[in-house]
């Protein structure tokens, strides 16, 4: 009887030891976009550390793409553009968590009017992150406004550098493809919004967290818990935006509280529900939704 007791006790201790083993680190890469701020909030609250999730914050969309492509992160947040680039290389790549859809958060700025762009005989400088959804936005804009035959000088720069441009210092007509919150300083420095995903652009831009089936299976519990924390973060944002802003402020440049509130109007959260219409649209774009948490 005593031996049986010792065996039972040893088994219980062994099982407890196994169950308390921390999960393997999950690395997620992200960029500075208003729709990804729930991740920054969760990090600052200490929630990600408890799940052994490391957040890698980079300054450009293309850097985020290549960080994941080179195997330096296990999952990344991005748009359908990055998905279309990586899917042929990783056949099991899929969206697992939905964040938002752009509703004015992706923007075309210029140092002249739309009419000025149409009438100019000069080369038009276009600043954008070429290896990103920026390229699709620019193509869509040029086509919709019959500007595709203009001579365009494509200038590939990360948004952090583009944001330092000043309209008065540019000698040629200039287009900037940008997104919230980078647009705010650019507008203050003389640029004018001439199109966005809310109007004048016939384009859906939607944000997910992507990973492969293999990584998802390995880290299923962490992804499931992370989804709960993202939803909780967005609830906290609605209930106490000032507290949320205080936590994420280090990640969103010099964005004031009022500008932060305004930037939230440029996205629509879809973390809790994706409409049937949107699912149908995503299906036509070959983006699966069946594995979304």
């Amino acid at each position: 009887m005593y031996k049986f007791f010792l065996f039972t006790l040893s088994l219980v201790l062994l099982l407890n030891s196994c169950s308390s083993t921390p999960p393997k680190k999950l690395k997620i890469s992200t960029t500075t976009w208003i729709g990804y701020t729930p991740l920054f909030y969760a990090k600052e609250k200490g929630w990600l550390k408890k799940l052994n999730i490391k957040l890698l914050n980079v300054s450009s969309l293309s850097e985020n793409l290549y960080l994941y492509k080179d195997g330096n992160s296990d999952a990344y947040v991005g748009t359908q553009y990055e998905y279309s680039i990586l899917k042929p290389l990783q056949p099991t790549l899929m969206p697992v968590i939905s964040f938002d859809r752009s509703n004015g958060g992706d923007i075309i700025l210029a140092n002249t009017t739309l009419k000025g762009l149409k009438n100019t005989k000069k080369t038009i400088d276009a600043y954008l992150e070429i290896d990103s959804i920026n390229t699709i936005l620019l193509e869509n804009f040029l086509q919709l406004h019959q500007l595709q035959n203009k001579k365009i000088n494509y200038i590939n720069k990360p948004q952090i550098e583009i944001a330092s441009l000043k309209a008065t210092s540019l000698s040629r007509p200039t287009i900037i493809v940008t997104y919230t919150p980078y647009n705010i300083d650019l507008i203050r420095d003389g640029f004018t919004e001439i199109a966005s995903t809310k109007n004048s652009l016939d384009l859906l831009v939607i944000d997910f967290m992507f990973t492969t089936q293999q990584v998802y299976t390995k880290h299923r519990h962490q992804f499931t818990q992370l989804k709960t924390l993202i939803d909780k973060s967005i609830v906290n944002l609605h209930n106490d935006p000032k507290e949320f802003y205080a936590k994420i402020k280090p990640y969103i440049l010099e964005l004031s509280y009022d500008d932060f509130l305004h930037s939230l109007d440029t996205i629509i959260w879809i973390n809790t529900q994706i409409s049937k219409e949107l699912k149908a649209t995503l299906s036509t774009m070959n983006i699966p939704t069946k594995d979304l948490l």
Side-chain angles (χ1 to χ4, degrees):
M1 186 69 179
Y2 180 70
K3 289 182 178 180
F4 177 77
F5 171 77
L6 288 178
F7 171 78
T8 303
L9 179 61
S10 298
L11 183 61
V12 169
L13 290 174
L14 177 62
L15 290 174
N16 285 339
S17 174
C18 292
S19 64
S20 62
T21 301
K24 291 187 177 180
K25 182 166 289 184
L26 175 64
K27 293 181 288 185
I28 299 171
S29 58
T30 182
T31 58
T32 304
W33 162 247
I34 199 67
Y36 303 149
T37 52
L39 288 171
F40 305 143
Y41 180 81
K43 177 183 177 181
E44 290 304 305
K45 294 287 281 188
W47 299 340
L48 300 188
K49 187 175 182 180
K50 293 177 181 178
L51 293 177
N52 202 15
I53 293 176
K54 183 177 182 179
L55 198 62
L56 307 173
N57 186 30
V58 295
S59 61
S60 74
L61 298 168
S62 56
E63 186 181 358
N64 193 32
L65 171 67
Y66 292 119
L67 190 72
Y68 176 78
K69 186 178 178 181
D70 292 341
N72 295 312
S73 63
D74 304 303
Y76 72 96
V77 288
T79 69
Q80 68 268 25
Y81 174 86
E82 293 84 12
Y83 176 75
S84 69
I85 296 296
L86 292 168
K87 179 68 173 177
L89 305 176
Q90 299 184 352
T92 67
L93 188 69
M94 61 185 187
V96 292
I97 297 175
S98 56
F99 283 84
D100 65 276
R101 61 177 296 182
S102 179
N103 186 42
D106 292 274
I107 304 144
I108 307 288
L109 302 176
N111 63 345
T112 183
T113 63
L114 181 57
K115 184 178 179 181
L117 292 173
K118 290 182 176 181
N119 292 338
T120 188
K121 303 296 183 183
K122 296 181 179 180
T123 297
I124 299 173
D125 287 336
Y127 288 84
L128 73 161
E129 293 182 61
I130 288 179
D131 291 331
S132 76
I133 192 73
N134 284 183
T135 298
I136 308 301
L137 286 159
L138 182 57
E139 289 175 355
N140 184 264
F141 171 76
L142 295 175
Q143 183 175 1
L144 283 174
H145 297 285
Q146 294 81 49
L147 294 167
Q148 63 268 42
N149 294 325
K150 294 289 184 180
K151 187 176 180 181
I152 308 293
N153 176 35
Y154 294 86
I155 303 172
N156 184 26
K157 297 279 187 182
Q159 288 296 331
I160 194 72
E161 292 184 28
I162 294 174
S164 66
L165 294 172
K166 298 186 185 302
T168 55
S169 66
L170 303 173
S171 58
R172 295 203 294 206
T174 300
I175 294 171
I176 293 176
V177 188
T178 188
Y179 51 90
T180 304
Y182 293 101
N183 64 309
I184 293 173
D185 282 343
L186 287 164
I187 289 173
R188 285 177 180 150
D189 286 330
F191 293 93
T192 302
E193 180 179 316
I194 56 174
S196 77
T197 45
K198 190 170 186 176
N199 54 61
S200 304
L201 288 176
D202 184 22
L203 185 67
L204 171 69
V205 179
I206 193 162
D207 292 283
F208 294 102
M209 181 175 293
F210 297 95
T211 193
T212 61
Q213 180 67 59
Q214 296 92 325
V215 171
Y216 176 69
T217 300
K218 182 179 179 181
H219 297 274
R220 185 186 298 269
H221 178 71
Q222 286 157 293
F223 280 114
T224 302
Q225 293 296 104
L226 178 60
K227 163 62 176 170
T228 300
L229 294 177
I230 289 170
D231 293 344
K232 182 178 179 180
S233 296
I234 295 172
V235 169
N236 288 5
L237 167 61
H238 292 313
N239 291 339
D240 193 349
K242 281 191 174 181
E243 188 266 346
F244 187 96
Y245 170 76
K247 290 292 183 184
I248 59 117
K249 189 176 179 181
Y251 301 92
I252 53 172
L253 312 177
E254 298 298 321
L255 204 64
S256 70
Y257 178 64
D258 287 340
D259 286 337
F260 166 69
L261 292 179
H262 176 71
S263 70
L264 292 173
D265 294 333
T266 67
I267 61 171
I268 297 173
W269 296 110
I270 57 169
N271 60 298
T272 56
Q273 185 176 8
I274 297 180
S275 67
K276 290 182 179 179
E277 293 78 13
L278 182 53
K279 282 186 177 181
T281 300
L282 292 171
S283 179
T284 65
M285 299 164 64
N286 296 315
I287 299 177
T289 56
K290 63 182 180 65
D291 294 304
L292 284 173
L293 294 170

